[in-house]
Every structure is written in C-alpha cells, then in structure tokens.
Amino acid sequence: MLSTAQNTPPSSAPVMPPAYPRDRFMRLPEVIHTTGLSRSTLYDLISRQQFPAQISLGGKNVAWLASEIESWMNDRIAARAQETMQ
C-alpha cells in the first residue's frame, strides 16, 4: 500500500514554534515604565492618534500590544535621527 504522507515528519519530531514572533499584552504600568510617559500624556497622545490605542480585554481591563509600543518608540528614535540630520 502506498502512503500519501511520505514527506511528513514522524509524530515524534519536535514541534517548531511559529515563524512569527509571539506578541504580548502590556498593562498600563508597564507602558508607563517602558515609554517614560505619564498616564495623562499617554491618553492625550491616543486621543490625537499619536500613540497606539489600547485593546479592551473585557470589562474595565485594557492593554497595549508590545509590538505596537516598540514600533512607536522606534519611530520616535528615527524622527530624532532625522531632526539631527537636517
């Protein structure tokens, strides 16, 4: 009998992690600590669409994606580098 699953690894093969990095939620105290911004400044920037918006986790719980916070910080660093070049 000919098997159609000849190229699949045996079931004892280790499971590889996904090819993309796993994101995580950051709560407000961590966002404040990571960015160095105050709570009021964060929410002011969010209202002006200059900072990533929070994600509702249900009820009164919110969090931010770590990748979006990191991207925002990298954009700020890049903008500083652009200003010093001019």
Side-chain angles (χ1 to χ4, degrees):
M1 181 171 197
L2 185 61
S3 173
T4 58
Q6 292 176 355
N7 293 332
T8 59
S11 61
S12 63
V15 176
M16 297 301 291
Y20 56 90
R22 186 173 175 168
D23 213 345
R24 66 183 191 85
F25 290 125
M26 293 174 67
R27 301 298 296 266
L28 182 61
E30 186 178 2
V31 174
I32 289 171
H33 176 75
T34 301
T35 62
L37 300 172
S38 69
R39 174 188 167 114
S40 59
T41 299
L42 284 172
Y43 283 108
D44 181 53
L45 290 172
I46 291 168
S47 71
R48 293 189 279 143
Q49 299 180 348
Q50 295 177 354
F51 192 82
Q54 67 274 27
I55 297 168
S56 175
L57 300 179
K60 295 182 180 181
N61 298 305
V62 297
W64 287 258
L65 285 176
S67 62
E68 292 179 354
I69 301 303
E70 184 177 341
S71 178
W72 178 86
M73 290 172 49
N74 288 335
D75 290 346
R76 299 293 296 175
I77 293 167
R80 179 187 66 176
Q82 287 287 333
E83 291 170 3
T84 61
M85 297 292 248
Q86 295 176 1

